[in-house]
């Protein structure tokens, strides 16, 4: 029986805050014009090709103001006034994405299209075709008419 692996503790290298490349902002001390990517996405915006202008420090670094935050929980902050509206995909792009997802969701044996991606690399088909496990009736969709093949 193999021994359980020990997780190595990551060495925390401390970088003086003056050597940080971007200005750092502590939690709950951020102005309204700086937001994260997720907040931009919720507002229907994208960074618009502009890079981050500041770093949002993690909660663990709140008690160390003299050191730069290098933890993976830090976030990049973007300016709202430089953000642009998100691009909407064209119908041709949506059709291409739907064809790609249909290839991952359609069983090559029975031809059913499921609402999830099938393990085609490991099994080669859906579970029902592979080992006889019955599929729930609400886990796949009926074949679409030939005029409209978009799943969404």
């Amino acid at each position: 029986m193999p021994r359980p692996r020990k997780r190595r503790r990551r060495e925390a290298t401390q970088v003086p805050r003056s050597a940080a490349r971007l200005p750092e902002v502590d939690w709950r001390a951020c102005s309204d014009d700086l937001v994260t990517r997720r907040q931009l996405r919720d507002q229907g915006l994208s960074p618009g090709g502009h890079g981050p202008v500041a770093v949002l420090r993690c909660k663990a670094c709140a008690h160390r103001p003299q050191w730069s935050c290098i933890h993976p929980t830090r976030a990049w902050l973007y300016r709202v006034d430089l953000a642009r509206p998100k691009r909407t995909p064209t119908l041709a792009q949506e059709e291409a994405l739907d064809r790609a997802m249909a290839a991952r969701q359609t069983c090559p044996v029975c031809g059913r299209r499921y609402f999830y991606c099938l393990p085609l690399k490991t099994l080669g088909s859906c579970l029902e075709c592979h080992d006889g496990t019955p599929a729930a009736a609400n886990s796949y969709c009926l074949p679409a008419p030939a005029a409209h093949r978009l799943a969404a």
Side-chain angles (χ1 to χ4, degrees), residues 13 22 24 35 43 62 64 70 75 77 84 99 102 109 129 139:
T13 56
L22 292 173
E24 295 186 356
V35 293
Q43 295 175 11
R64 298 182 301 152
I70 58 168
L77 294 174
R84 295 184 183 156
R99 282 193 305 267
V109 178
C129 296
S139 66

Side-chain angles (χ1 to χ4, degrees), residues 21-25 33-35 50-55 76-80 82:
R21 296 178 188 216
L22 292 173
E24 295 186 356
V25 180
D33 62 333
L34 296 178
V35 293
H50 296 284
V53 295
V55 176
W76 305 108
L77 294 174
Y78 299 89
R79 288 181 39 191
V80 177
L82 297 177

Side-chain angles (χ1 to χ4, degrees), residues 8 13 18 22 39 51 62 66 91 118 120 140 147:
R8 290 186 186 176
T13 56
S18 62
L22 292 173
Q39 290 169 334
Q66 71 275 17
L91 185 61
L118 297 174
L120 296 177
Y140 58 89

Side-chain angles (χ1 to χ4, degrees), residues 17 21-41 43 46-58 69 73-83:
R17 198 164 182 178
R21 296 178 188 216
L22 292 173
E24 295 186 356
V25 180
D26 287 325
W27 279 78
R28 304 195 192 266
C30 185
S31 61
D32 291 337
D33 62 333
L34 296 178
V35 293
T36 62
R37 283 185 76 99
R38 186 170 289 183
Q39 290 169 334
L40 279 176
R41 185 183 65 206
Q43 295 175 11
S46 69
H50 296 284
V53 295
V55 176
L56 182 64
R57 292 165 51 93
C58 67
C69 179
T73 56
R74 69 176 184 258
W76 305 108
L77 294 174
Y78 299 89
R79 288 181 39 191
V80 177
D81 58 343
L82 297 177

Side-chain angles (χ1 to χ4, degrees), residues 105-114 116 118-120 122-136 139-140:
Q105 295 173 343
T106 305
C107 176
V109 178
C110 64
R112 288 184 188 157
R113 182 169 179 182
Y114 288 83
Y116 54 88
L118 297 174
L120 296 177
T122 56
L123 299 180
S125 63
C126 63
L127 283 175
E128 188 169 356
C129 296
H130 179 70
D131 62 1
T133 304
S139 66
Y140 58 89

